[in-house]
Amino acid sequence: MAPPMGFDADAPAALAGGARRRPVVALVLTGGGARSAYQIGVLRALAQMLPRSRNPFQIIIGTSAGAVAASVLAAQAHVWRQGVAGLERVWANFRTEQVFYVDGPHMVRSGLHWILSLLSSGLVLSPPKSVLDTSPLRELLGREVDISGIRRSIKRGHLRACALCATSYATGESVAFFDAAPQVGEWSRVQHVGRRGELTLDHIMASVAIPLLFAPMKLGSEFFGDGSMRQLNPLSPPIHLGADRLLIIGVSSEQGSGTDSSRPATMPTPGEVFGFMLDTLFTDQLYGDLEHIERINQLVRAAPQTRAVRPIETFMMAPSVDPSDIAARHVADMPRGLRALLRVLGGRPEVSGHQLTSYLTFEAPYTRALIELGYEDAMQLREQLTAFVSGEPAAAAVAAQSG
């Protein structure tokens, strides 16, 4: 029988003679728009916890906004703490106009384009490629990310593999574009594949292309969008690339979903629907995959003699405070154009809370608050985190994770 999807029977759990080998640790950075600043705080804490350590992550995976940080860390794997510092510098000083245009002229032109396209049924003007123009983000990444450094990191042995995930609009497949050591091969499973090749800025832009908001990116003969869209098994890529341990940094709190159950039921606005969609896009499949891995681990523990699968250890970091609550305190920091867009979509606080706001507010006061939250959450789990990424036995690494 074939191994369960996402598990690789080829990587042994121990060396010849019974000696235990150091586990291959992967860093998994999920999508989340502006919420991804939380991940930078966790990484900052890790850099302080391991001040003299080499890069602890042999495999780095990024999806959507997480693909940006993954690219930086992979390109600077030989000086990973320097990479973390660079990410913090950018995220702590973010402005929304560095990601997409929000000034009056651009917003007016975009609105008129949509109106003329609708009124003329696309005859006078074809429909816009997206609601927002992300040209500023591409310019920022071109300055800040030396993506060619990923291949150098792999060739010099500082990194085993890096993957950036996107979704093909042609096939509907979740595609993990990866560069890796020679022994790592491609894979093909139902609705998700791994394609080897040199990673480029276009791969990052494809991974971050949130549907409707950001324009799709053409790679080869196909157009691609946000990597979270069809990612039914978001933890499959690092396992296929050879990981034994997954440190996953998410962006949605397990304590809430940014909604107010006490608010009287009303017809959801487009902004509210879109906020729910983003929560589903970036979160639901991840927790489902974690449950799947735990069920497989239970089977492995019950039948340790099996060679069909190997256990995968996971450590999930998620915000202890709902980012929507933090976004509510920073509405005044949003650019006027973005506030206007949210009003049009019905994303006003009094209507649908701050879910959508929390994903789109790339402003320094908000991103700094998320960085601090990530840092504090990680420091609360200092001993468990350092044990996990340092390769200590599983019992020592994760026994107290929930404590």
Side-chain angles (χ1 to χ4, degrees):
M1 187 174 77
M5 185 163 53
F7 288 80
D8 182 0
D10 296 332
L15 298 174
R20 181 183 178 277
R21 69 170 176 84
R22 186 181 186 278
V24 176
V25 183
L27 173 66
V28 181
L29 299 174
T30 69
R35 291 187 179 198
S36 294
Y38 175 83
Q39 298 171 336
I40 309 306
V42 175
L43 292 169
R44 170 187 158 198
L46 277 170
Q48 290 188 14
M49 295 174 196
L50 306 167
R52 288 177 291 276
S53 170
R54 296 180 58 191
N55 171 33
F57 306 111
Q58 297 97 314
I59 298 169
I60 301 177
I61 310 293
T63 299
S64 195
V68 177
S71 301
V72 172
L73 294 176
Q76 301 189 50
H78 61 299
V79 285
W80 73 279
R81 282 178 296 276
Q82 184 175 315
V84 171
L87 285 168
E88 184 180 4
R89 173 178 55 79
V90 172
W91 277 92
N93 296 283
F94 239 136
R95 301 187 309 278
T96 303
E97 56 262 32
Q98 292 177 299
V99 181
F100 49 82
Y101 289 117
V102 289
D103 59 283
H106 275 93
M107 299 300 285
V108 170
R109 281 198 297 271
S110 177
L112 289 174
H113 192 153
W114 279 101
I115 292 171
L116 288 174
S117 178
L118 287 170
L119 291 177
S120 67
S121 299
L123 296 176
V124 175
L125 279 176
S126 59
K129 295 178 181 178
S130 61
V131 173
L132 300 170
D133 182 349
T134 55
S135 299
L137 177 60
R138 189 180 185 92
E139 294 174 8
L140 176 67
L141 295 177
R143 293 194 306 269
E144 299 291 338
V145 183
D146 176 19
I147 197 158
S148 62
I150 296 177
R151 176 150 289 188
R152 290 196 299 271
S153 294
I154 294 169
K155 286 183 176 180
R156 296 173 182 175
H158 301 295
L159 190 70
R160 175 186 173 94
C162 174
L164 308 179
C165 301
T167 303
S168 170
Y169 283 112
T171 66
E173 292 178 321
S174 175
V175 181
F177 294 99
F178 72 92
D179 204 348
Q183 68 269 27
V184 179
E186 296 184 340
W187 66 89
S188 179
R189 298 291 186 271
V190 177
Q191 291 299 315
H192 68 98
V193 300
R195 296 185 189 174
R196 173 189 281 275
E198 185 169 5
L199 300 173
T200 67
L201 179 56
D202 285 347
H203 290 97
I204 303 178
M205 294 302 297
S207 187
V208 304
I210 298 173
L212 297 181
L213 287 182
F214 299 167
M217 174 59 59
K218 189 174 185 181
L219 299 172
S221 60
E222 301 174 58
F223 282 92
F224 289 84
D226 193 288
S228 302
M229 281 192 288
R230 298 296 296 272
Q231 206 173 36
L232 302 179
N233 300 97
L235 302 180
S236 175
I239 296 172
H240 280 295
L241 293 171
D244 304 305
R245 285 187 176 183
L246 313 180
L247 173 61
I248 308 129
I249 310 180
V251 297
S252 293
S253 171
E254 296 183 68
Q255 307 305 317
S257 59
T259 59
D260 183 2
S261 59
S262 65
R263 182 167 60 87
T266 58
M267 176 66 71
T269 66
E272 185 173 15
V273 171
F274 204 74
F276 275 112
M277 187 196 81
L278 292 180
D279 265 349
T280 300
L281 198 67
F282 297 131
T283 304
D284 290 2
Q285 293 156 341
L286 174 63
Y287 285 107
D289 214 14
L290 280 169
E291 290 182 0
H292 172 71
I293 288 177
E294 180 52 34
R295 287 195 296 270
I296 296 298
N297 286 343
Q298 290 173 0
L299 291 174
V300 173
R301 288 192 289 269
Q305 72 278 6
T306 182
R307 298 281 302 188
V309 294
R310 58 191 170 90
I312 302 296
E313 301 160 23
T314 63
F315 195 116
M316 178 71 188
M317 286 292 305
S320 58
V321 177
D322 194 328
S324 297
D325 295 336
I326 298 175
R329 302 197 294 267
H330 294 280
V331 172
D333 299 314
M334 296 166 56
R336 184 182 304 174
L338 182 56
R339 289 202 298 269
L341 175 63
L342 290 175
R343 282 196 297 271
V344 170
L345 293 175
R348 294 168 293 172
E350 64 270 21
V351 176
S352 57
H354 295 273
Q355 276 179 294
L356 189 55
T357 303
S358 69
Y359 287 106
L360 296 182
T361 304
F362 291 89
E363 293 295 321
Y366 173 58
T367 57
R368 287 175 186 169
L370 288 179
I371 290 172
E372 287 305 313
L373 177 63
Y375 177 82
E376 292 167 4
D377 285 354
M379 294 305 288
Q380 289 290 324
L381 298 170
R382 181 186 186 113
E383 293 184 4
Q384 299 96 303
L385 268 175
T386 52
F388 190 84
V389 301
S390 298
E392 294 185 19
V398 299
Q401 182 182 349
S402 59

